[in-house]
Amino acid sequence: MKKEHMTVGAIREIAHRIYEMKLFGTIATEVKMPGQFLHILPSHQLQPLLRRPISISHVNQEEKELTIVFRREGEGTTLLANKTPGDTVDVLGPLGNGFQVEEVSAGDSVLIVGGGVGVPPLYDLARALKEREANVTTVLGFENKEAMFYEKAFQSFGEVFVSTVDGSIGTKGFVTDVIQEKNISFDRLYACGPVPMLKALETNYPEAVGSLSLEIRMGCGIGACFACVCHVQGDASGHDYRKVCSDGPVFPWREVVL
Amino acid sequence: MTALRVELPGLDMKNPIMPASGCFGFGEEYAKFYDLNVLGAIALKAATHKPRFGNETPRVAETPAGMLNAIGLQNPGVEKIVSEKLPWLEQFETPLLANVAGSQVEDYVETATVLSQSGKVAALELNISCPNVKEGGIAFGTDPDLAAELTRRVKAVSDIPVYVKLSPNVTDIVVIAQAVEKAGADGLSMINTLTGMKIDINTGRPLIANETGGLSGPAIKPIAIRMIREVRRQTELPIIGMGGITSVEDVIEFFLAGADAVAVGTANFINPYICPTLIKELEEWMEAKGYHHLRDVKRKGGWA
């Protein structure tokens, strides 16, 4: 974990308002697992003031290169999207605990489910699981065809299915509709996306083994400010908690209250 | 370094800079970035008598040059803080300023008693200004009689100096400052956050689950500066100044306003190294300007 000015490499809009950016620096050599994230300061002005947590989608340790994917949404991500190659960005990272790929064995059937900007951290997860010779199936959900990205990239790891809310491509509906329609079975389930998507998966697969990654507003990103806590399932006292930034953002299914 | 030394009641500080309560946890996270011995002091996250989960999320929202937070005093309770957090902090020589919060006088008194008797903290900071708990806290900070009564009751049980952290959410902060001074406060820390709100124009709902939150960051600095100057004119009590500090120029401005030490809050989230950076820059600034002691800076502000 360090604070560093990383150098912006290629940046391109890969879907409507979705940007893929390469960042170079030594933080890349410290990434330990897929699912970790960066806390990025989009400006050194007083506004916007705070860092933005953005997950790492791909690491190339030898080239000291990180790939991030984010949606241009507000002031901060717009500033970030407007960076050009050679610019530097103030980055704190790598932060958080990611996916434990060691728990997956060769031959395991693994289902990876991503929704919208929840898709990026699953990319290196799928890659790592493929390397462990797991049978990877991916289901990706988007608003519409224009917002879709990485569906081809995931094809190098196994079969890929897509759902869109408006049905402009793939199955019309949600990721859960695709899983039922295609009758996909799995030993392990990994997911990242909006909370309603994660909740639907947890409801449909109450015995699921594997983990999920949460997105939440953060302050410090390192566990000091208690902005991003969540409740723990089965905690009667109501006082138990997990910090998404430093205990997560990846948690086993049914550990935290969604 | 002696030029930066500040001696306040209970707090023998090698420099005037400390992280502010609630922005630094109990130090563990920031110790991964630097040696906490460089700090003048550490203001700990608020302790309450019983454990508190705090508010639901979202607890933070960004605003122009600032942020709103409504954490809700999440903490493991004073007993666990003393048994689990303070022993770890003992490895540092940096004096600890323990923030005490509660919803009733008895909560404050019990929490203050435990912290005072722990022998591990140098002074208490009475949090009568948290805007984020419904049961009270800020009620003590907006009524001079309640503030004075609470100060007296805590002073009666504390063997260590008691600083009172003032709320800016009042018509006249000087009245509160004078009331707690008469009640025996050893110092003031000011200002806490200002109550604010941000509404999501897409949902029509406040962005923060608690609806209101405390505004911090550079946006509130002019208010802090004005209030410190007003209070400084009317009291001899030492003042720990805070509210939106992000640069060495801000630190100087707080001294000119009348602060004796400063605390840095929100800026820790932007730059985890902000405190050591400011300490170094303050020393360089004083050297460049030919100041030998912080007293000389304060004198320029009109305070001897």
Side-chain angles (χ1 to χ4, degrees), chain A:
Chain A
M1 175 169 71
K2 64 169 60 162
K3 179 179 166 308
E4 179 183 32
H5 282 89
M6 297 188 80
T7 304
V8 176
I11 172 161
R12 58 194 185 104
E13 191 172 3
I14 56 173
H16 181 55
R17 294 197 298 145
I18 304 290
Y19 290 77
E20 181 189 70
M21 178 187 270
K22 306 279 186 192
L23 291 170
F24 294 88
T26 59
I27 285 176
T29 64
E30 293 190 15
V31 178
K32 290 190 189 68
M33 58 218 297
Q36 289 186 290
F37 68 96
L38 305 176
H39 215 18
I40 301 180
L41 192 61
S43 128
H44 280 285
Q45 306 300 312
L46 296 181
Q47 187 184 346
L49 187 67
L50 302 172
R51 291 176 181 272
R52 270 65 178 157
I54 297 177
S55 53
I56 299 165
S57 61
H58 178 57
V59 185
N60 182 335
Q61 305 240 358
E62 279 141 44
E63 302 292 328
K64 295 185 180 172
E65 178 196 271
L66 292 178
T67 306
I68 58 168
V69 175
F70 58 92
R71 184 168 57 214
R72 178 166 55 77
E73 188 75 57
E75 210 175 356
T77 44
T78 299
L79 282 168
L80 209 53
N82 290 340
K83 300 277 181 194
T84 53
D87 286 353
T88 60
V89 186
D90 186 331
V91 180
L92 191 60
L95 302 179
N97 293 299
F99 296 98
Q100 306 274 356
V101 296
E102 300 77 18
E103 64 193 21
V104 177
S105 312
D108 281 357
S109 293
V110 178
L111 175 59
I112 291 178
V113 182
V117 280
V119 170
L122 300 171
Y123 177 78
D124 259 7
L125 170 67
R127 169 184 292 275
L129 295 180
K130 173 75 175 169
E131 273 170 22
R132 298 183 69 81
E133 298 175 359
N135 297 315
V136 177
T137 305
T138 306
V139 173
L140 305 177
F142 302 98
E143 279 297 311
N144 50 44
K145 190 180 174 186
E146 286 67 43
M148 180 178 71
F149 63 95
Y150 273 19
E151 80 290 353
K152 287 197 179 65
F154 277 85
Q155 280 170 8
S156 32
F157 313 128
E159 215 169 355
V160 178
F161 301 100
V162 169
S163 72
T164 49
V165 177
D166 68 353
S168 49
I169 193 167
T171 300
K172 183 175 186 335
F174 298 99
V175 290
T176 40
D177 298 322
V178 180
I179 301 168
Q180 273 158 8
E181 183 187 294
K182 307 290 178 190
N183 203 13
I184 301 168
S185 62
F186 50 86
D187 303 315
R188 289 176 178 276
L189 176 64
Y190 295 94
C192 182
V195 168
M197 182 195 97
L198 299 174
K199 268 188 179 165
L201 289 168
E202 196 167 79
T203 305
N204 291 4
Y205 308 101
E207 311 286 317
V209 179
S211 46
L212 56 90
S213 181
L214 287 177
E215 261 196 317
I216 191 169
R217 270 168 205 283
M218 290 182 187
C220 66
I222 58 172
C225 79
F226 287 77
C228 65
V229 300
C230 49
H231 287 282
V232 176
Q233 290 194 21
D235 162 43
S237 75
H239 293 138
D240 205 2
Y241 64 90
R242 297 288 183 275
K243 299 177 198 168
V244 175
C245 69
S246 56
D247 295 322
V250 173
F251 296 100
W253 289 100
R254 301 178 298 284
E255 178 169 322
V256 298
V257 177
L258 296 174

Side-chain angles (χ1 to χ4, degrees), chain B residues 198-216:
Chain B
K198 179 175 181 174
I199 294 173
D200 182 332
I201 60 165
N202 295 312
T203 64
R205 299 281 313 144
L207 228 86
I208 287 187
N210 187 55
E211 299 205 345
T212 60
L215 180 64
S216 66

Side-chain angles (χ1 to χ4, degrees), chain B:
Chain B
M1 282 302 271
T2 51
L4 295 186
R5 185 167 210 95
V6 179
E7 285 191 49
L8 302 184
L11 302 172
D12 182 3
M13 301 167 62
K14 61 169 83 78
N15 64 66
I17 292 173
M18 70 179 84
S21 177
C23 300
F24 207 73
F26 295 94
E28 294 129 310
E29 292 79 16
Y30 289 91
K32 292 172 191 162
F33 290 94
Y34 61 89
D35 180 358
L36 304 188
N37 280 317
V38 304
L39 297 168
I42 300 173
L44 303 178
K45 184 162 171 57
T48 53
H49 184 219
K50 295 267 162 53
R52 283 182 61 92
F53 178 85
N55 296 321
E56 295 309 315
T57 56
R59 293 175 168 186
V60 291
E62 194 176 46
T63 58
M67 68 180 284
L68 291 166
N69 89 80
I71 307 298
L73 300 178
Q74 180 162 17
N75 80 99
V78 69
E79 298 288 352
K80 269 201 173 165
I81 288 171
V82 169
S83 64
E84 294 175 13
K85 302 294 183 185
L86 298 186
W88 179 83
L89 279 161
E90 273 189 303
Q91 66 183 293
F92 306 102
E93 61 193 38
T94 312
L96 305 178
L97 177 62
N99 188 286
V100 179
S103 46
Q104 297 170 49
V105 174
E106 291 69 29
D107 297 344
Y108 280 96
V109 167
E110 286 184 51
T111 306
T113 305
V114 174
L115 286 165
S116 165
Q117 289 175 354
S118 74
K120 294 180 171 70
V121 299
L124 300 178
E125 182 181 54
L126 270 190
N127 187 349
I128 59 167
S129 44
C130 177
N132 297 326
V133 289
K134 290 188 178 68
E135 312 88 78
I138 198 165
F140 294 103
T142 52
D143 181 320
D145 296 333
L146 287 178
E149 171 63 9
L150 183 68
T151 304
R152 249 189 305 276
R153 293 281 300 275
V154 170
K155 274 295 288 178
V157 297
S158 178
D159 300 326
I160 51 180
V162 175
Y163 291 73
V164 179
K165 187 165 183 177
L166 302 182
S167 172
N169 301 298
V170 293
T171 311
D172 188 354
I173 199 165
V174 174
V175 173
I176 311 279
Q178 288 174 323
V180 301
E181 181 176 27
K182 275 201 201 100
D186 298 284
L188 302 170
S189 60
M190 58 188 289
I191 58 172
N192 206 321
T193 56
L194 287 116
T195 313
M197 184 184 283
K198 179 175 181 174
I199 294 173
D200 182 332
I201 60 165
N202 295 312
T203 64
R205 299 281 313 144
L207 228 86
I208 287 187
N210 187 55
E211 299 205 345
T212 60
L215 180 64
S216 66
I220 73 166
K221 196 190 74 176
I223 299 168
I225 295 292
R226 184 264 294 178
M227 288 185 157
I228 289 168
R229 199 166 177 90
E230 282 177 355
V231 169
R232 172 45 76 228
R233 288 202 174 108
Q234 302 294 335
T235 168
E236 295 297 312
L237 288 181
I239 296 174
I240 301 168
M242 68 202 70
I245 292 175
T246 63
S247 68
V248 69
E249 290 79 11
D250 294 340
V251 173
I252 301 300
E253 196 177 346
F254 272 79
F255 283 118
L256 295 175
D260 300 281
V262 296
V264 181
T266 305
N268 287 287
F269 305 158
I270 301 155
N271 177 6
Y273 295 101
I274 187 68
C275 287
T277 301
L278 291 178
I279 292 164
K280 183 169 159 282
E281 289 179 357
L282 179 59
E283 199 169 24
E284 289 166 358
W285 186 90
M286 288 181 47
E287 203 168 323
K289 299 282 179 182
Y291 290 111
H292 299 294
H293 197 277
L294 284 171
R295 270 192 307 271
D296 307 331
V297 181
K298 284 198 284 188
R299 202 168 287 131
K300 192 178 167 83
W303 322 112

